[in-house]
Amino acid sequence: MKKKRTFAIKEVLHVYWLHIKRYPFAVAFSFIFTVGAFALSTLVPLLYKKIIDTAAQTPTPTDAAAEIMTAVLLSAGALMLFRMFSRRSGSFLITYFQPKVINDLGQTAFSYLLDHSYRFFANNFTGTLVRRVARLQRSFEEIADRFLFDFIPIIVTLTGAGIVLFLRSPLLGWMFVGWLVLFVAVQFAILHWKLKFNIAVSEKDSEATGALSDAISNDITIKTFAGEDHERKIFKRVSDELARLRFKSWAIDEVINFVQALLMIGIEVLLFLGVIHLWRDGLATVGDFILVQSYVIMAIDRLWDLGNALKKLYEAFADATEMVEILNTPHDIVDVQNASTLRVTKGAIVFKDVDFSFNENRGILSKFNLEIPGHQKVALVGPSGAGKTTITKLILRFYDVTSGGIYIDNQNIAKATQRSLRNSVAFVPQEPVLFHRTLMDNIRYGRRDATDEEVMEAAKQAHCEEFIAKTPHGYQTYVGERGIKLSGGERQRIAIARAILKDAPILVLDEATSSLDSESESLIQDALEKLMEGKTVIAIAHRLSTVMKMDRIVVIENGAVVTSGTHDELVSHEGGLYKKLWEIQAGGFLTDDGKGD
């Protein structure tokens, strides 16, 4: 069952506050200038009231009355000038700190994502994670804009208007405040009810993005199996559901707008009835009609923005929640407190009573024990699902063992830093994935401080130069997303070049030649032999040419070591699992010299 997402405004605001507080002066003064600008705005109608009252109370125009009106008008102009200066200063400071906070949020999210485990990335779509980071940044901009350009102006303007109306007449003040409380309460009630629809839209949008990313990244598979119509149906189902949720959310917005309009008509009529009542009793002047009209227009303008601002605010919180959840999710694999730096001298590896399972229903290793002396070259063989690849991932701490321990030179890798562990192991996977960067950049990733000459030497040893010379820009050729512009064999040679350049004391090969044809394999066998010299090697391999070069072959079945020995020793055991696997290979897939038929 899918876990229901919780919506916590406090958690989102906490993440934003941690980044905002890095710029205290810019934030504080932008707030002060914004408050000042809108406080001055509430005083202008009072000055206009004075002008109207002076004109109404002067039956015949006089120079004295004109001078008073001119002086008041100049005061109003000065207020508006100060208001403009204050507002522009606040906006400038907002322009200063917002991009910095947005940038900091992106870096925080990216950094935290990188530290999540292999399991985390296996369980999440790449496109969805990218969208969540972008939404976190975009949501901050939206939320900050709503607070600074909507909520602060609304609070200051309505507070000022309420104070002036109370001072003018408690009746007008209570009418205004009562209506304001009703308006805000109705807005929050409707929008809080609508929140679940905003979250549903956000979740479904992420699902649609994930489906789109999944299909695009598997374009070759889709074409190979003529699955275009099938994928269109999957995406149509998700996008149609998204459209339905959006319609429901936007329809509620129209209901909110309708209720707003009714309430705004009500306050305008109500306040003018109050002024008429006061005027009839001689308690209001002609200027009061202008004053009330100005504040009504101001209130309606601001409160109409309130509905839209609240809607956008809730949508922004809903969007930010997805990434904040990830930021609040503890990393699966973490360094222990005061973790030591792994020091590898011999490279001896010991698995001691290791248990590992992906979940309670899928156990992989049980009381697994294996000792690999330093500099020994070991091949792991066994049927699919035996746990061979899992063993290599446990060595790199892509997963943590459920119980037991893995030791390198008598050091428990769980108590060493992940960085020092992975710097000590060179890994060549079965399906290497490259960055959409140049060939030079991809090889240099094995040792990022390597010179161009060292990179080229590693490429030469891995026999990459044969195909690099044929590329449009040589080492500066971009390889495409995930290395799609290269063949499988070319990607594996790049991965081997990386390992050569890294020159780590422990080497792990997970079917490192599986994508190579016989000719390409023969080209890099000598490179692998040089790469393995003086190193502890663990290789998952089925090819005869690779397995026979190992010092020892370890046969694994059902997550346990069945037997081990050299190739000749194991094939001499009648009825043994290794001999059975080997006879199947040699009989159907490999010739006696280890090359394909």
Side-chain angles (χ1 to χ4, degrees), residues 123-134:
N123 292 332
N124 287 277
F125 284 119
T126 301
T128 298
L129 294 176
V130 171
R131 175 69 70 90
R132 288 180 178 182
V133 173

Side-chain angles (χ1 to χ4, degrees), residues 86-113:
S86 185
R87 181 143 190 205
R88 295 282 69 82
S89 298
S91 295
F92 175 80
L93 289 170
I94 293 166
T95 302
Y96 166 77
F97 80 78
Q98 266 200 10
K100 293 181 179 296
V101 175
I102 291 170
N103 179 57
D104 292 347
L105 283 166
Q107 292 187 22
T108 296
F110 176 70
S111 178
Y112 198 80
L113 275 176

Side-chain angles (χ1 to χ4, degrees), residues 118 130 156 189 201-202 242 286 315 392 431 446 463 512 519 524 558:
Y118 178 88
V130 171
V156 173
V201 169
S202 180
L242 177 59
V286 175
E315 289 174 349
T392 65
E431 297 179 3
H463 292 276
E519 182 179 357
I524 67 169
N558 296 325

Side-chain angles (χ1 to χ4, degrees), residues 11-13 15-16 19 101-110 112-113 128-144 316-327:
E11 293 178 1
V12 174
L13 290 177
V15 169
Y16 287 154
H19 294 78
V101 175
I102 291 170
N103 179 57
D104 292 347
L105 283 166
Q107 292 187 22
T108 296
F110 176 70
Y112 198 80
L113 275 176
T128 298
L129 294 176
V130 171
R131 175 69 70 90
R132 288 180 178 182
V133 173
R135 278 180 174 171
L136 180 71
Q137 295 175 289
R138 187 177 66 242
S139 294
F140 168 76
E141 181 181 8
E142 186 67 49
I143 291 169
F317 275 122
D319 284 347
T321 297
E322 290 188 314
M323 188 64 221
V324 170
E325 280 185 342
I326 293 177
L327 291 174

Side-chain angles (χ1 to χ4, degrees), residues 171-193:
L171 175 64
L172 296 179
W174 282 118
M175 283 181 174
F176 184 77
V177 171
W179 172 85
L180 184 61
V181 170
L182 175 64
F183 185 94
V184 173
V186 170
Q187 286 286 333
F188 271 101
I190 295 176
L191 285 168
H192 185 73
W193 170 68

Side-chain angles (χ1 to χ4, degrees), residues 20 23-38 85-98 101 140 144-145 147-149 152-153 156:
I20 291 172
Y23 310 96
F25 294 106
V27 173
F29 280 101
S30 66
F31 175 80
I32 291 169
F33 281 128
T34 302
V35 170
F38 287 96
F85 172 78
S86 185
R87 181 143 190 205
R88 295 282 69 82
S89 298
S91 295
F92 175 80
L93 289 170
I94 293 166
T95 302
Y96 166 77
F97 80 78
Q98 266 200 10
V101 175
F140 168 76
D145 285 350
F147 273 109
L148 293 167
F149 298 130
I152 289 177
V156 173

